[in-house]
Amino acid sequence: MIIDTHVHTGFFVSPEKIVDMSEGVVLESIKRHNIDFAIVSNSAEEVDCLLQPIPKERQKTQEQAFLEAINFARNNMNKIGIMPWIKPASETADERLEELIKENRDIVYGIKVHPFHSDIEFDSERVEPYIELAKKYNLPVAVHTADYDKASPMRVYNMAKKYPDVNFIMVHMGLCTDNKEAIDLLGKLPNLYGDTTWVPLESTVEIVKRYGSKKLFFGSDSPIDGVDTYIMNNKGEPSLYLRYFNELEDIIGSEAYADIMYRNAMEFFGIKL
Ligand SMILES: [Zn+2]
């Protein structure tokens, strides 16, 4: 069994190309690669990859992105769950957001924050109303962490320290870093977790050695490299995830492997399959 806790829909605009992450591509990719359940965030960027503001008329509102995601999950019950992508730079945790969470709590598994694509410090005041909302509805907060200062693992640590009743996931464990900062921080607070999205196998093995197998969830960013993201990257080379499927169990043992690939996700998010 595999649960992918980090999947996207929407259009990802990179300097080289526009990546189609339509619902159809997500469904085909999880079917093709035997993923039993996926937690999906429908992207609603506020700035592009070069940190340039996206014109308002080309942005999705928080509500729009959420409603599309709800529709996707409702049409694919028992396959798709969602984490609404919030827009702390230009919107806030308003009544409408709360209403949608309340009405759809059965398919909402967390709140997704992307400090790079919102160009906002994760531990800033504008983000806090969302954390309060997460606390009220007992939802974890998944945060894109990277080498970009506003999205640093340290800022997630700061927020996690301030809100001990909320669980935080440092997704990517610091993208484009050697993961060391995120790995060190992971052991410092009980409410800090990580995922495997673009995390080299060696870092995952180190995490299991240092902290056991309960701190990490399998995630992939699929279908950001296309329908076969799980096995092939966008250059046509073998995907980093192939090593998770083919080597990880032999290194850390079947119990720890089951934890990372699905069991932690079932327990932590309350996914019933
Ligand atoms: Zn992602």
Side-chain angles (χ1 to χ4, degrees):
M1 172 128 77
I2 301 173
I3 294 177
D4 189 343
T5 62
H6 190 151
V7 171
H8 289 290
T9 48
F11 283 94
F12 177 73
V13 185
S14 81
E16 303 103 58
K17 58 176 179 177
I18 295 176
V19 184
D20 171 16
M21 301 188 294
S22 65
E23 294 171 4
V25 173
V26 169
L27 292 174
E28 175 59 25
S29 88
I30 63 172
K31 188 172 149 203
R32 206 182 276 189
H33 300 290
N34 303 311
I35 308 299
D36 297 273
F37 191 82
I39 299 180
V40 178
S41 294
N42 189 24
S43 54
E45 289 102 340
E46 300 180 271
V47 302
D48 66 17
C49 283
L50 303 171
L51 293 166
Q52 296 305 305
I54 298 170
K56 275 275 174 300
E57 66 275 10
R58 280 180 39 218
Q59 286 189 36
K60 269 178 204 166
T61 65
Q62 216 167 241
E63 180 186 14
Q64 246 176 319
F66 200 168
L67 286 172
E68 287 175 11
I70 290 165
N71 198 39
F72 185 33
R74 291 272 173 238
N75 288 328
N76 296 279
M77 293 297 277
N78 305 318
K79 277 277 163 214
I80 303 293
I82 57 177
M83 274 197 201
W85 178 310
I86 53 120
K87 298 178 67 178
S90 58
E91 299 188 41
T92 190
D94 55 16
E95 277 173 28
R96 181 61 177 147
L97 183 68
E98 178 164 2
E99 187 179 68
L100 287 175
I101 288 174
K102 209 153 88 184
E103 284 169 6
N104 297 282
R105 185 61 188 84
D106 61 319
I107 53 167
V108 174
Y109 291 92
I111 287 175
K112 164 83 179 198
V113 190
H114 205 302
F116 182 92
H117 279 303
S118 287
D119 200 15
I120 195 166
E121 291 90 351
F122 177 68
D123 54 353
S124 66
E125 269 176 28
R126 285 195 68 89
V127 179
E128 286 193 60
Y130 293 98
I131 310 300
E132 294 287 355
L133 205 56
K135 185 175 161 182
K136 186 169 175 186
Y137 290 92
N138 193 24
L139 290 168
V141 179
V143 192
H144 171 92
T145 61
D147 57 351
Y148 186 56
D149 172 59
K150 292 177 183 177
S152 70
M154 185 53 92
R155 293 186 187 275
V156 184
Y157 169 85
N158 293 341
M159 200 67 114
K161 206 168 175 191
K162 191 165 181 182
Y163 290 88
D165 301 336
V166 179
N167 287 320
F168 293 83
I169 309 165
M170 299 182 284
V171 304
H172 306 302
M173 295 298 290
L175 191 64
C176 302
T177 73
D178 59 10
N179 305 129
K180 286 212 168 10
E181 182 192 12
I183 292 174
D184 284 342
L185 291 171
L186 196 59
K188 292 195 192 305
L189 292 173
N191 58 329
L192 261 187
Y193 294 82
D195 88 351
T196 67
T197 305
W198 307 119
V199 175
L201 195 75
E202 289 74 14
S203 293
T204 289
V205 170
E206 188 188 335
I207 290 166
V208 173
K209 279 196 180 127
R210 281 173 67 174
Y211 309 124
S213 56
K214 291 291 177 188
K215 284 283 209 178
L216 217 51
F217 310 102
F218 178 70
S220 73
D221 251 348
S222 177
I224 207 163
D225 278 352
V227 67
D228 293 319
T229 297
Y230 295 108
I231 60 168
M232 190 169 73
N233 72 15
N234 58 7
K235 298 183 193 89
E237 300 156 349
S239 156
L240 160 156
Y241 302 114
L242 271 179
R243 298 193 63 200
Y244 281 82
F245 303 135
N246 298 335
E247 298 173 39
L248 185 59
E249 186 169 7
D250 287 339
I251 302 171
I252 63 173
S254 57
E255 289 300 314
Y257 186 70
D259 280 347
I260 290 169
M261 300 309 284
Y262 68 89
R263 212 154 50 193
N264 290 348
M266 292 181 93
E267 290 166 9
F268 181 86
F269 295 104
I271 298 168
K272 291 176 197 72
L273 293 177

